[in-house]
Amino acid sequence: MRVMAVVKSDAYGHGLLRSAAVFYEEGVRAFGVAEVEEGALLREAGLAGEIIVLLGVTPEVVADVIHYRLQPVVYDKEILADLSARAVKMNDVVGVHLKVDVGMGRFGVMPEDVSSLVEAIQSLPGIYLSGVMSHFPLADAPFSGKTVEQTELFSNIVARIGKLTGTVKVSHIANSAALMQNVATHFDMVRPGITLFGCYPGRVIAEHAGLDLKPAMSFKTRVLQVKEVPADCGISYGHTFVTARPSRLAVLPVGYNNGYLRKLSGRAAVLLGGQRASVCGTICMNVCLVDVTELPGVRPGDEAVLMGRQGGEEITADELAGWLDTINYEVLCLIGNLNRRVYI
Ligand SMILES: *Cc1c(COP(=O)(O)O)cnc(C)c1O
């Protein structure tokens, strides 16, 4: 079983180069990026192994694909001619992964057009079929009949392509959710993203997976000021929060500029002194406020955890996602890509 580590979006906010280096050290030899530019960065940093460009390639960057030995996903004929012509001109060959749409309803070639694309690849010099792939729309809804149907369809298509070409080098369809739930989806290679960073691809899966993942990312800062305010004191822009009692507030140097979105105002909690405290008032661009009236020990310079563990408490990406009406993937990208990273 081969693993393609999906490291798009700066490795889900964890840092492309550092993450890929760790996965390589752990034995991963295939990497999935969204765009050619990310593949180029990995090669410039000296990463060996296969790099698959999941979004495919546009004409402007065809030369980079060949120069950096990337393998683009393909799903239409026009780009095949470009890739072939450029590879021949550069006296090189380029492997492509054919993406089939088995029900995602996004990009990919429709099943009935697969043969014609395979024939086009075979007829062109400088280009070869290095893989066949697809993607699930519903793998996180456990035991969905659709996923079973789509797996069968994919399996049939792989077999059909095998008849046309003699062999299919590698076929892959499973993201984290499919990987964790259904062995029939594994084929020759699996493509986990979020699980590599210690998070689950969905709540139900977290409950059924029987794995104990540990999130790689935490989000911390230090208290800037602690101040006492009287009862009936309006707090932050718009005075959306008014103190009901004499209060102590901790000011944190984190705001929506750091991905701690305004929507978290009045919803989120942070950890201070190993305990939960509520974010109060409107979150500003670089600042937010926390009610620490019940936590008399809190001092300027204390560590505040906005995501992660402190003492026996934890705030997960899933919990932040709940407050933001989104999914943990978005929280990781947002927080990871808008803040200074420290690797431990
Ligand atoms: C992002 C992505 C993955 C990884 O998905 P996870 O749910 O993070 O495991 C796999 N395949 C493709 C094509 C992707 O775009």
Side-chain angles (χ1 to χ4, degrees):
M1 172 60 54
R2 297 185 57 204
V3 174
M4 180 196 301
V6 178
V7 290
K8 64 196 179 194
S9 298
D10 223 348
Y12 293 44
H14 295 71
L16 175 67
L17 301 183
R18 294 291 292 260
S19 303
V22 168
F23 299 142
Y24 192 91
E25 240 175 73
E26 295 294 328
V28 172
R29 293 293 179 268
F31 299 86
V33 295
E35 299 184 6
V36 169
E37 196 181 341
E38 298 167 300
L41 284 170
L42 286 172
R43 288 288 189 237
E44 291 285 353
L47 188 84
E50 295 180 50
I51 299 177
I52 291 90
V53 183
L54 297 170
L55 282 185
V57 57
T58 49
E60 314 83 68
V61 284
V62 159
D64 287 340
V65 164
I66 294 156
H67 176 72
Y68 289 110
R69 289 172 291 111
L70 311 179
Q71 298 184 27
V73 165
V74 296
Y75 34 80
D76 73 41
K77 276 189 185 159
E78 284 70 41
I79 203 73
L80 294 179
D82 278 6
L83 281 165
S84 163
R86 183 62 72 147
V88 168
K89 199 167 158 202
M90 291 168 78
N91 199 15
D92 211 334
V93 287
V94 57
V96 296
H97 287 240
L98 179 63
K99 179 155 191 171
V100 188
D101 184 354
V102 296
M104 179 72 185
R106 201 172 61 171
F107 60 105
V109 56
M110 294 304 280
E112 57 272 24
D113 301 324
V114 163
S115 304
S116 120
L117 237 79
V118 171
E119 279 155 18
I121 293 168
Q122 287 190 296
S123 71
L124 288 165
I127 182 170
Y128 67 97
L129 187 66
S130 55
V132 178
M133 67 170 294
S134 191
H135 195 45
F136 288 121
L138 300 166
D140 57 336
F143 323 116
S144 151
K146 280 255 164 86
T147 300
V148 173
E149 272 172 39
Q150 288 161 0
T151 306
E152 277 167 19
L153 176 57
F154 182 63
S155 180
N156 292 338
I157 291 168
V158 171
R160 184 142 57 87
I161 295 174
K163 284 208 187 97
L164 287 172
T165 60
T167 170
V168 171
K169 281 189 191 304
V170 59
S171 51
H172 47 100
I173 187 169
N175 56 6
S176 294
L179 160 65
M180 289 164 98
Q181 294 197 110
N182 188 342
V183 184
T185 64
H186 291 185
F187 292 83
D188 310 317
M189 181 155 77
V190 293
R191 296 195 310 261
I194 196 147
T195 44
L196 297 175
F197 305 103
C199 294
Y200 294 92
R203 201 165 303 246
V204 189
I205 290 166
E207 283 155 19
H208 284 88
L211 279 173
D212 185 21
L213 299 180
K214 302 252 186 316
M217 188 191 296
S218 55
F219 182 31
K220 298 177 181 180
T221 187
R222 295 203 175 273
V223 175
L224 208 56
Q225 185 192 6
V226 177
K227 66 191 277 189
E228 316 248 342
V229 293
D232 206 28
C233 179
I235 302 299
S236 189
Y237 288 123
H239 282 184
T240 53
F241 179 81
V242 178
T243 54
R245 55 181 178 178
S247 300
R248 290 178 80 240
L249 302 175
V251 183
L252 305 183
V254 165
Y256 55 81
N257 171 61
N258 306 93
Y260 208 64
L261 300 189
R262 262 176 119 246
K263 189 162 189 178
L264 293 166
S265 304
R267 296 186 172 199
V270 307
L271 305 180
L272 276 160
Q275 308 221 41
R276 279 174 180 258
S278 307
V279 171
C280 61
T282 300
I283 293 170
C284 311
M285 190 182 289
N286 304 100
V287 172
C288 67
L289 294 148
V290 179
D291 186 344
V292 292
T293 313
E294 313 277 344
L295 302 173
V298 172
R299 297 278 177 273
D302 283 2
E303 177 194 79
V305 172
L306 299 96
M307 183 172 81
R309 281 184 180 278
Q310 195 188 55
E313 282 282 349
E314 181 174 21
I315 293 172
T316 61
D318 286 288
E319 195 172 5
L320 275 157
W323 293 325
L324 285 166
D325 298 320
T326 181
I327 54 175
N328 54 3
Y329 293 72
E330 195 173 30
V331 170
L332 297 181
C333 291
L334 200 56
I335 289 177
N337 287 330
L338 289 173
N339 292 286
R340 190 169 62 87
R341 300 187 189 106
V342 178
Y343 294 91
I344 300 164

